[in-house]
Amino acid sequence: MAKQRRPEHLSQEKISAAQDNTLKVVMVSQLVSGVGLPTTILSGSLLSTELFGAESAPGIPAALSLLGAGVVAYLLGLLAKARGRRLSLGLGYALGGLGAMLVLIAAKFASTPLLFIGLIVYGSGFAASLHSRYAGSDLAHPTNRGKAIRVAFFASTIGAVAAPSLSKLIAEPTQSLELPSYAGPFILSALAYLFAAIIVLLLMRPDPYVLAQNLARFTGAKRSSATSQLFDRKLALFGGTTMFAVMFVLSGVMAVTPSHMAEAGMHPEAVQILISLHIAAMYLTSLVTGRWVDTFGAQKIAFAAASVSLISCIIIFFTPGDSVYLLLIALTLLGVGWNFGLISGSASTLAANNLGKNPQLQAKGDAALTFGGAVAGLLAGWLVTVTGYSAVMLVFLIIAACHLLFILFVARKGIGAQA
């Protein structure tokens, strides 16, 4: 019987060209959308104070955005499985832009209910940003999963770090529209997310997930046994827990730390610089993290993530709120720990579900970690009003320590070593 001929669109040359195009589109869209990432961190305290009328809700804006990101992340996974990455990513970014515009309208008319809705919808942009790392890995070779994820994360660095400076350029339009000064970053975010949506919808052709599915059907790629499926579930749990833990710690700490630094007398520009460097550490570290995951394995990098996050929490716990240099070290380490955890956890998730060809499982992981971030932000905001900042940091220090113990436990069981 004659060997089945590989269709032209599934030739190795076509697959390689499609992967190159996907990575380029992901990089450009992430570079643009990265501008919207720090907006809720930089504007959250002002939102709470000005529209909530109190300083008792510092974690609410970020928590609402993460809550929306969790819901949309799950829906994007379902849509990607049914229609592909191009539509799911484009819709996610477009909704993020719509959310930013709703926040602007809420700020214009001082409408708290509309602000809540806008922040929730705004989280769609972050959900799409997370989702894009899997789009880059659909056609990637198993040994290059970390590289594919690295491209998506690194591209976000430029936009995220440039956001505070770019926000100054739209100060005049903000005033001319008679909007509060804190609304400026949301104008920038609306433009960035809508532009990212256009880039993805127009240029991500062919769709990497659809092409990967066609290739899998042609090659007859299937899981081999019930044993491998059981191992996959354990590996997915390891990856999901790793991402959840680093997101929980970072969200809780950053929900209250910027306002704590301001209350301690740190200059507003110094606060902005520290936050920008923190965000740079979150994404710039991807230059090496992806390579290290491919070289040393996800388990070792997850251990490093838990260790670095714990060290960061310890430094913050013992550091005064106006100590610029110590907080610079601590917040940089916090961003590095998040990066290590998210990339190693993502690589484990990819390894757990047939080289990443199950967007629904990926979406559950992203939904879990963003929901966790929302809970952490609300918890930190409530605790800081009841017990004070030091007690909040002690709580998240303990959580970071528990995460490290979890990594040591699963290492003894051999889970995650193969990712």
Side-chain angles (χ1 to χ4, degrees):
M1 186 168 121
K3 184 177 180 181
Q4 185 180 3
R5 184 178 179 182
R6 180 187 287 255
E8 175 61 24
H9 74 287
L10 295 181
S11 67
Q12 188 57 51
E13 292 78 11
K14 295 284 186 180
I15 297 295
S16 298
Q19 172 65 354
D20 289 343
N21 179 68
T22 298
L23 290 178
K24 289 176 183 176
V25 173
V26 166
M27 178 177 289
V28 175
S29 63
Q30 285 287 84
L31 188 152
V32 173
S33 66
V35 171
L37 293 175
T39 298
T40 50
I41 297 177
L42 294 172
S43 305
S45 296
L46 288 173
L47 279 165
S48 302
T49 302
E50 191 145 344
L51 286 186
F52 299 148
E55 297 181 357
S56 59
I60 285 182
L64 288 174
S65 293
L66 287 171
L67 179 64
V71 174
V72 174
Y74 183 74
L75 296 178
L76 290 183
L78 296 178
L79 183 59
K81 189 171 184 180
R83 300 293 299 275
R85 303 285 188 188
R86 184 172 65 88
L87 184 59
S88 61
L89 278 173
L91 180 60
Y93 284 132
L95 286 174
L98 174 62
M101 289 188 286
L102 290 176
V103 170
L104 291 171
I105 297 172
K108 175 71 174 179
F109 297 101
S111 172
T112 301
L114 185 58
L115 176 68
F116 283 2
I117 296 172
L119 286 170
I120 290 172
V121 178
Y122 178 74
S124 304
F126 182 58
S129 180
L130 287 174
H131 189 66
S132 68
R133 73 194 192 279
Y134 291 125
S137 63
D138 282 328
L139 296 170
H141 190 274
T143 58
N144 287 327
R145 295 189 201 109
K147 177 183 177 181
I149 298 170
R150 178 184 73 200
V151 168
F153 273 82
F154 171 67
S156 301
T157 306
I158 300 174
V161 174
S165 298
L166 292 174
S167 295
K168 296 178 181 178
L169 299 178
I170 56 174
E172 186 174 335
T174 301
Q175 293 176 354
S176 65
L177 293 172
E178 297 182 352
L179 291 169
S181 58
Y182 68 80
F186 285 99
I187 297 176
L188 197 62
S189 295
L191 295 173
Y193 281 141
L194 292 174
F195 188 36
I198 293 171
I199 291 171
V200 171
L201 291 172
L202 290 181
L203 301 180
M204 190 172 279
R205 300 173 185 273
D207 188 290
Y209 176 72
V210 173
L211 190 58
Q213 288 297 96
N214 291 338
L215 181 62
R217 281 192 288 268
F218 174 76
T219 57
K222 296 180 180 179
R223 296 184 182 184
S224 59
S225 66
T227 302
S228 65
Q229 292 179 10
L230 179 62
F231 175 77
D232 284 351
R233 287 195 292 271
K234 290 181 178 179
L235 188 55
L237 179 62
F238 167 77
T241 302
T242 298
M243 291 188 289
F244 179 92
V246 294
M247 187 71 177
F248 194 91
V249 172
L250 179 136
S251 298
V253 172
M254 293 310 296
V256 295
T257 296
S259 58
H260 173 69
M261 291 189 293
E263 290 169 5
M266 188 180 294
H267 194 277
E269 287 191 6
V271 175
Q272 282 200 345
I273 291 172
L274 287 182
I275 292 174
S276 293
L277 292 173
H278 161 72
I279 294 171
M282 289 172 61
Y283 292 96
L284 190 60
T285 318
S286 305
L287 279 173
V288 294
T289 311
R291 186 180 298 112
W292 288 347
V293 168
D294 290 336
T295 303
F296 302 111
Q299 185 189 86
K300 292 179 180 178
I301 304 305
F303 173 80
S307 302
V308 171
S309 294
L310 177 58
I311 293 170
S312 170
C313 289
I314 292 173
I315 294 174
I316 296 175
F317 179 75
F318 288 104
T319 299
D322 60 349
S323 179
V324 175
Y325 296 109
L326 284 176
L327 285 174
L328 170 61
I329 295 171
L331 295 183
T332 299
L333 289 176
L334 185 66
V336 170
W338 180 87
N339 182 280
F340 284 3
L342 213 65
I343 292 185
S344 61
S346 299
S348 298
T349 302
L350 288 171
N353 68 104
N354 193 22
L355 305 185
K357 297 180 178 63
N358 187 348
Q360 194 170 357
L361 180 58
Q362 298 163 1
K364 288 180 179 179
D366 284 350
L369 73 94
T370 48
F371 281 142
V375 171
L378 292 174
L379 175 63
W382 174 74
L383 282 175
V384 78
T385 62
V386 175
T387 60
Y389 182 77
S390 295
V392 174
M393 290 311 307
L394 179 60
V395 168
F396 285 95
L397 189 158
I398 293 171
I399 292 171
C402 290
H403 179 213
L404 181 59
L405 292 175
F406 167 79
I407 297 295
L408 293 173
F409 172 77
V410 298
R412 292 186 61 186
K413 298 292 183 180
I415 301 172
Q418 291 82 358

